[in-house]
Each structure stands twice: as C-alpha cells, then as structure tokens.
Amino acid sequence: KRFREPKHERRPWKIWFLDTSKQAIGMLFIHFANVYLSDLTEEDPCSLYLINFLLDATLGMLLIYVGIRAVSSIVEWQQWDSLRFGEYG
C-alpha cells in the first residue's frame, strides 16, 4: 500500500509501520477473542467471527469516531499542538 501513495505524499517508514501495526494488533485481538469465545460456547467459530467483525465495524467505529472527536476538541481547546491527529511534525 505504501508504494501506491504518490511519492511526494508518502509517509516515512516509521510512521507507515506504526499506522499498519495498529491494524495488525487489532486483527490479532479479534482473532484471539474469537478463538477464546468459541471455546467457551458450542457455537460455530465462523458465526462468532462474523458477529465480532460486525460489532467491530459498527459499534467499534462509532466509539472510535466519538472518541477522536472528543479528544480533538479538547486538544484544540487547550491548544496542544503536539497532540493534533495526523500532525507528525
């Protein structure tokens, strides 16, 4: 994905790695939660994975959106320039 970004807009390797590692950690967490839940119940692991994915893609994204908006408002109100989202310096 990094090589599909325009050369003048490419993120440095460190920032790219940190951005993509967040996604990998989230996927691993969902996978292990699914394995753990399927051991606790006699449900089909695939259906539990689908439920986990749908909850993450809907409620999880809504919570993240609300959280980012709240933190961004506080950062702007307090004028903490070093904590602005997307500003890597």
Side-chain angles (χ1 to χ4, degrees):
K1 181 179 175 184
R2 182 178 189 277
F3 294 110
R4 297 191 57 91
E5 296 173 350
K7 282 192 176 202
H8 63 281
E9 294 179 14
R10 276 189 197 156
R11 297 167 286 177
W13 280 104
K14 180 181 177 183
I15 292 171
W16 176 85
F17 174 76
L18 292 173
D19 285 345
T20 55
S21 65
K22 290 185 294 187
Q23 296 170 2
I25 290 169
M27 288 186 292
L28 281 172
F29 178 77
I30 292 229
H31 172 72
F32 287 116
N34 180 51
V35 170
Y36 178 73
L37 288 174
S38 66
D39 282 344
L40 290 179
T41 64
E42 296 300 320
E43 297 292 323
D44 177 31
C46 293
S47 63
L48 287 175
Y49 184 81
L50 179 64
I51 291 169
N52 282 339
F53 175 76
L54 291 175
L55 285 174
D56 183 45
T58 55
L59 294 177
M61 291 303 289
L62 178 65
L63 287 173
I64 289 170
Y65 175 77
V66 169
I68 287 177
R69 294 292 298 213
V71 170
S72 292
S73 296
I74 293 169
V75 165
E76 290 298 322
W77 176 58
Q78 294 291 328
Q79 297 179 352
W80 293 329
D81 294 335
S82 62
L83 296 178
R84 287 201 172 106
F85 286 103
E87 297 292 327
Y88 299 116

